[in-house]
Amino acid sequence: MEAAQLAINEAQKASTDDTKSSAGDKYETGREMMQQETDRNMKQLNEANKLKVALNKINPNTVADKADTGSVVMTDNGNFYIAVSAGILMVDDGKYFAVSPASPIGAKLLGQKAGAMFKLNDKTYQIKQVI
């Protein structure tokens, strides 16, 4: 979020610092490029804010026997943290895939209990533990 905000500030500053040259259209082209950069970074910042809101809704003290948002699900084919799609997380020498509940694997995990099995993309998963 900080990187996106910094890039927005820099693009806006560059846009206002740009002065009209004798080339005429060069000024407008530079301003347009800075506006596009600002728009792209604003979109990234908005997405980061949405992810932050989703993460803030998770209560880390909740204990459930069924997989839900905020659960860690250990399977025979990998460990998953149901929260937001954030790739691989390394925690205490363990590898966890942070997945969104809306993702295909997240949707399959939701509501499952230890011992349950499901299939996704011709791969069978057995849930060992839900934390």
Side-chain angles (χ1 to χ4, degrees):
M1 290 174 63
E2 289 175 21
Q5 187 61 57
L6 181 61
I8 290 166
N9 294 345
E10 287 177 4
Q12 288 175 338
K13 184 178 183 317
S15 178
T16 57
D17 288 349
D18 197 8
T19 59
K20 196 163 192 159
S21 70
S22 60
D25 288 340
K26 182 179 177 183
Y27 171 75
E28 291 303 321
T29 302
R31 274 180 123 21
E32 179 59 27
M33 288 175 64
M34 291 305 133
Q35 184 60 48
Q36 289 176 6
E37 183 72 12
T38 299
D39 292 346
R40 185 178 63 77
N41 285 299
M42 284 295 286
K43 186 174 181 181
Q44 286 180 337
L45 183 59
N46 288 336
E47 287 302 314
N49 278 321
K50 288 178 188 176
L51 294 176
K52 184 178 178 182
V53 167
L55 286 172
N56 284 336
K57 289 182 180 179
I58 296 172
N59 182 351
N61 299 317
T62 301
V63 178
D65 61 340
K66 293 189 304 184
D68 198 1
T69 302
S71 295
V72 173
V73 182
M74 316 286 257
T75 76
D76 59 345
N77 281 312
N79 304 319
F80 301 90
Y81 175 52
I82 306 171
V84 297
S85 293
I88 298 172
L89 305 174
M90 299 299 291
V91 179
D92 297 332
D93 296 325
K95 184 171 156 180
Y96 300 85
F97 298 96
V99 297
S100 165
S103 69
I105 188 81
K108 289 281 190 179
L109 291 168
L110 286 177
Q112 300 287 348
K113 293 182 176 186
M117 294 178 76
F118 65 91
K119 193 172 184 176
L120 180 67
N121 297 333
D122 296 325
K123 194 173 195 179
T124 302
Y125 295 79
Q126 180 168 12
I127 297 176
K128 296 184 203 174
Q129 186 179 9
V130 176
I131 303 170

